[in-house]
Amino acid sequence: MSSVDKQLEQLQAEIENELPSDITVSDVKYEGPELVVYTRHPKEFAQNGDLIRKLASKLRKRITVRPDPDVLSDPHKAEERIMDVIPEEAGVTDLDFHADTGEVVIEAAKPGMVIGRHGSTLREITKEVGWTPEVVRTPPIESSTVSNVRNFLKQEREERRDILERVGRQIHREEMSKDEWVRITTLGCCREVGRASFVLSTPETRILIDCGDKPGAEDEVPYLHVPEALGAGANTIDAVVLTHAHLDHSALIPLLFKYGYDGPIYCTEPTRDLMGLLTLDYLDVAAKEGRTPPYESEMVREAIKHCIPLEYGDVTDIAPDVKLTFHNAGHILGSAVSHFHIGDGLYNVAFSGDIHYKDTRLFNGAVNDFPRVETLVLESTYGGRNDYQTDQEDSEQSLVDIINETHEKGGKVVIPAFAVGRSQEIMLVLEEAMRSGKIPSMPVHLDGMIWEATAIHTTYPEYLRDDLRDRIFHEDENPFLAEEFNHIDGGEDERQQVTDDGPAIILSTSGMVTGGPIMSWLRHLGSDPESTLVFVGYQAQGTLGRRIQTGWDEIPVSDPNDPGRSSTLALKMDVETVDGFSGHADRSGLMNFVKTMNPRPEKVLCVHGDERSVQDLSSSLYHDFNMRTFAPKNLETFRFK
């Protein structure tokens, strides 16, 4: 018998010892980080609301209770009784019964009403029918991504359970090494922006954090071939942690499965969905531009199948010697500061991912409250001495002024923006400005994936700023449903129609002008001196966006009918940059993020910034807070303990 089987046997005995005599346990399994308890008495479990909580506390495990399949009530009868229990105003749109696990997935417009206070309605459902309820939100705006992901995971439930059981046994395997050390190896995004990737190693475990591309440089990928990463074989990586879905962090996650990785990806639920959206688009753009995609779409599905979603604040075992906790990073939907607790109090490392420290219209500011952090790996995109962003109110006023000036000239405003994060932020600014009369009401055309990304935002309002979440809960107040917003389906005829029509605002991907529909808008409007191109996000070195921003007035554009052919376009439209809309903390935000940590970390690795930015930030943190700081290069390894 393996050590894990012995462990499960002991756990079952402990659980049975704690239970009343009228409740039996028929099986105990690990599924990912959770301990799943199967019982012939699910109703009795539900009647004692504190029972699961007490067991979880005593065993220090996340516990899910499921009914034995042979004690389940008939789904048709169960559906009637479930609908009697759930308040009508919850807006239930679907019930999906899964007899193999005894779960019923309830999709509702207002999941909170299905859950009830402290889970009271969920327990009532189990008491009535025996099935274990799982609740998901009905998207207020229809999202093909959310629908496709949910349907795919439904089809793959059986294989996914096998994956989770295998992962669970890996997590809870017996520790073999008595050594105590922690290493971080940098595989990308050091003294550069893009291709974020790190390996966190212990004698027992190796964890890959992020695996992205480099904007504007398709051939520069993380150093995955080295022994610390996949050079020793993809199966030597125990887990992948994805901080957020932007492509400079997520684009090459599916590539891991091409190399033979078969383990878990830990991320938040919206990060999982957005990763699917963005990586599939990444493949599509590569094909349209005549480049060979690095992996097939099947690998994206493999990545989604292996995702284990975690919520902010949940402490989760991901290896025998590592616990992971996600915290809001304030950057984009579902972005997470990733805190690793290693060993039994041995060491703590936090990876910031990308952060925004102050509240924005979309998100609450990044969390930096941790029990302990010895080493912080900190993004430094705007870490340079003079990288202070304009105040948000001033930034919004600047954008309003540019729109009004362009409108008066009869031109159009074109805003290249990331589909995820900046676009929704700008949409909120435009909706409020039109509603309050600061700018005239006019069409706001959303091109690329922006509308789909917005639909995903409304599916997960619990990840948004408190007051925005409340507005989305009330359909008539949902700002993303304002009548000015128009989704463009990507056709050239529609773009030509917008070009021929009157004043308008166009929000289009890609945010750094590295391809995608923004290239079409430059072809249509680039030579119009009455129109304005407005940059509202970071433009990385080497991208066409950065070149235009720094004065290029002749740009290469490809023929839409022949991507291999390009010509030169004289750029006559005005070019403006409005700071303050970035999803990244500026210099003061980064300094304050560290300053207000209590206790402060002993060491800080400044990454994800150009050479000047990381060195400036590293130097300032050292001088101001008397801590050891580093501005590492790629392929450096830091050993702690």
Side-chain angles (χ1 to χ4, degrees):
M1 184 184 288
S2 72
S3 62
V4 175
D5 289 323
K6 287 179 184 175
Q7 193 183 131
L8 288 169
E9 203 173 76
Q10 290 169 356
L11 284 168
Q12 183 164 343
E14 280 189 68
I15 291 168
E16 287 172 341
N17 193 47
E18 293 291 321
L19 293 176
S21 57
D22 61 336
I23 301 179
T24 60
V25 172
S26 51
D27 199 6
V28 175
K29 292 181 179 180
Y30 283 126
E31 288 190 12
E34 293 194 341
L35 182 67
V36 180
V37 177
Y38 284 90
T39 177
R40 295 182 62 81
H41 302 94
K43 296 180 181 180
E44 289 79 359
F45 250 108
Q47 280 165 357
N48 189 335
D50 287 338
L51 198 52
I52 297 173
R53 184 178 55 79
K54 286 177 181 174
L55 283 172
S57 177
K58 181 175 176 59
L59 302 176
R60 298 175 71 187
K61 305 282 184 191
R62 289 169 59 182
I63 294 178
T64 296
V65 174
R66 291 195 192 136
D68 261 4
D70 58 352
V71 300
L72 293 172
S73 58
D74 175 78
H76 295 293
K77 293 177 181 174
E79 181 170 343
E80 290 178 21
R81 292 164 80 180
I82 289 170
M83 295 305 291
D84 286 341
V85 172
I86 298 173
E88 191 175 335
E89 53 268 36
V92 174
T93 53
D94 190 35
L95 291 176
D96 193 12
F97 291 86
H98 299 277
D100 56 335
T101 59
E103 293 172 296
V104 53
V105 179
I106 304 170
E107 186 174 291
K110 298 178 179 177
M113 300 192 75
V114 181
I115 295 167
R117 187 173 175 79
H118 303 304
S120 58
T121 309
L122 294 183
R123 288 194 298 276
E124 188 64 29
I125 289 168
T126 302
K127 277 196 287 185
E128 283 291 320
V129 299
W131 293 78
T132 299
E134 180 187 325
V135 189
V136 296
R137 184 183 307 282
T138 308
I141 299 173
E142 189 176 342
S143 164
S144 59
T145 300
V146 172
S147 175
N148 290 340
V149 167
R150 287 178 180 176
N151 287 334
F152 172 67
L153 292 176
K154 179 178 167 182
Q155 292 164 14
E156 301 291 330
R157 277 180 80 93
E158 197 169 323
E159 186 178 343
R160 187 165 157 75
R161 276 181 70 201
D162 291 342
I163 292 168
L164 289 173
E165 283 192 32
R166 178 164 42 79
V167 169
R169 296 178 75 85
Q170 275 288 99
I171 291 170
H172 298 95
R173 69 187 186 272
E174 187 178 357
E175 289 188 49
M176 303 301 290
S177 177
K178 300 301 179 189
D179 291 341
E180 291 187 340
W181 50 259
V182 179
R183 284 202 306 250
I184 295 173
T185 301
T186 59
L187 305 182
C189 85
C190 291
R191 304 195 183 195
E192 63 181 356
V193 174
R195 61 168 169 177
S197 197
F198 304 89
V199 173
L200 177 67
S201 307
T202 73
E204 197 69 43
T205 305
R206 290 204 300 165
I207 299 164
L208 185 72
I209 295 103
D210 290 344
C211 195
D213 74 344
K214 188 170 182 179
E218 288 81 16
D219 296 332
E220 293 188 46
V221 300
Y223 291 90
L224 297 173
H225 61 279
V226 300
E228 276 293 321
L230 305 186
N235 58 353
T236 64
I237 296 289
D238 290 273
V240 173
V241 172
L242 178 58
T243 62
H244 67 284
H246 273 156
L247 289 172
D248 60 332
H249 293 254
S250 76
L252 300 177
I253 293 280
L255 185 66
L256 303 175
F257 293 88
K258 183 176 178 179
Y259 287 152
Y261 179 67
D262 197 29
I265 300 169
Y266 294 96
C267 59
T268 62
E269 204 168 7
T271 293
R272 177 198 65 195
D273 293 4
L274 289 169
M275 175 188 69
L277 173 70
L278 294 177
T279 51
L280 287 173
D281 183 70
Y282 175 77
L283 298 181
D284 188 47
V285 169
K288 284 178 179 174
E289 292 178 353
R291 292 183 281 114
T292 303
Y295 50 83
E296 303 298 321
S297 59
E298 180 57 35
M299 297 299 102
V300 177
R301 286 190 283 275
E302 278 299 308
I304 289 170
K305 193 194 305 179
H306 284 75
C307 282
I308 298 180
L310 304 180
E311 295 183 8
Y312 292 151
D314 283 355
V315 181
T316 304
D317 291 304
I318 65 167
D321 58 342
V322 181
K323 295 181 190 295
L324 169 66
T325 312
F326 283 147
H327 300 274
N328 170 41
H331 174 63
I332 65 166
L333 185 71
S335 60
V337 178
S338 304
H339 180 273
F340 297 88
H341 178 78
I342 300 161
D344 189 11
L346 174 68
Y347 209 75
N348 293 264
V349 179
F351 287 79
S352 72
D354 292 346
I355 56 171
H356 197 292
Y357 187 50
K358 292 181 180 177
D359 292 352
T360 65
R361 283 180 177 266
L362 267 180
F363 305 113
N364 298 321
V367 169
N368 65 349
D369 184 16
F370 317 106
R372 273 176 52 195
V373 175
E374 279 75 42
T375 292
L376 171 66
V377 182
L378 178 65
E379 73 119 320
S380 314
T381 314
Y382 289 111
R385 295 189 190 284
N386 300 314
D387 288 344
Y388 290 95
Q389 291 181 30
T390 310
D391 176 77
Q392 184 172 327
E393 201 173 306
D394 293 341
S395 301
E396 293 182 7
Q397 188 58 51
S398 296
L399 182 60
V400 163
D401 291 343
I402 290 167
I403 291 170
N404 281 327
E405 288 166 14
T406 306
H407 183 268
E408 285 170 15
K409 291 190 294 183
K412 296 175 177 63
V413 175
V414 180
I415 305 174
F418 298 120
V420 179
R422 288 325 91 209
S423 290
Q424 290 72 37
E425 189 86 24
I426 299 297
M427 287 171 72
L428 292 174
V429 172
L430 297 177
E431 186 272 338
E432 193 274 336
M434 290 185 190
R435 184 162 39 84
S436 62
K438 293 178 186 174
I439 59 176
S441 180
M442 67 184 91
V444 178
H445 301 288
L446 311 172
D447 203 351
M449 297 177 298
I450 294 172
W451 184 246
E452 179 60 25
T454 302
I456 297 172
H457 278 70
T458 65
T459 305
Y460 299 105
E462 60 271 27
Y463 286 86
L464 302 176
R465 185 170 166 164
D466 303 344
D467 55 342
L468 176 59
R469 178 174 61 214
D470 293 341
R471 291 183 68 192
I472 288 172
F473 285 153
H474 299 89
E475 188 174 332
D476 56 342
E477 294 179 27
N478 187 338
F480 297 117
L481 292 173
E483 61 182 11
E484 286 85 359
F485 295 130
N486 171 52
H487 172 219
I488 285 183
D489 65 9
E492 281 301 311
D493 289 346
E494 196 173 355
R495 292 189 186 114
Q496 185 61 56
Q497 184 65 48
V498 170
T499 302
D500 295 340
D501 286 346
I505 299 167
I506 297 141
L507 273 178
S508 173
T509 56
S510 74
M512 295 188 191
V513 200
T514 53
I518 188 62
M519 305 309 297
S520 177
W521 290 110
L522 290 177
R523 283 195 300 271
H524 282 293
L525 294 167
S527 58
D528 177 14
E530 309 301 323
S531 293
T532 308
L533 182 70
V534 186
F535 290 108
V536 294
Y538 182 77
Q539 303 299 305
Q541 287 184 348
T543 61
L544 183 56
R546 171 68 76 95
R547 290 172 180 138
I548 294 172
Q549 196 177 40
T550 53
W552 275 33
D553 55 9
E554 290 191 346
I555 59 172
V557 292
S558 60
D559 185 328
N561 300 314
D562 182 2
R565 267 183 72 195
S566 65
S567 57
T568 300
L569 172 74
L571 198 65
K572 295 181 180 176
M573 65 194 312
D574 284 344
V575 177
E576 301 279 358
T577 296
V578 179
D579 293 322
F581 289 115
S582 173
H584 296 268
D586 67 358
R587 163 70 172 219
S588 65
L590 292 167
M591 294 293 289
N592 284 331
F593 182 84
V594 177
K595 179 181 179 180
T596 55
M597 288 178 72
N598 185 25
R600 286 186 198 142
E602 298 164 5
K603 301 179 182 71
V604 179
L605 275 58
C606 296
V607 302
H608 200 286
D610 61 32
E611 193 158 353
R612 175 187 61 84
S613 299
V614 293
Q615 290 180 334
D616 281 358
L617 186 61
S618 175
S619 175
S620 295
L621 291 172
Y622 167 73
H623 286 295
D624 287 15
F625 305 132
N626 192 30
M627 54 176 56
R628 293 189 67 190
T629 62
F630 306 87
K633 297 178 181 177
N634 290 329
L635 291 178
E636 286 196 52
T637 295
F638 295 81
R639 178 172 169 139
F640 311 104
K641 282 286 181 186

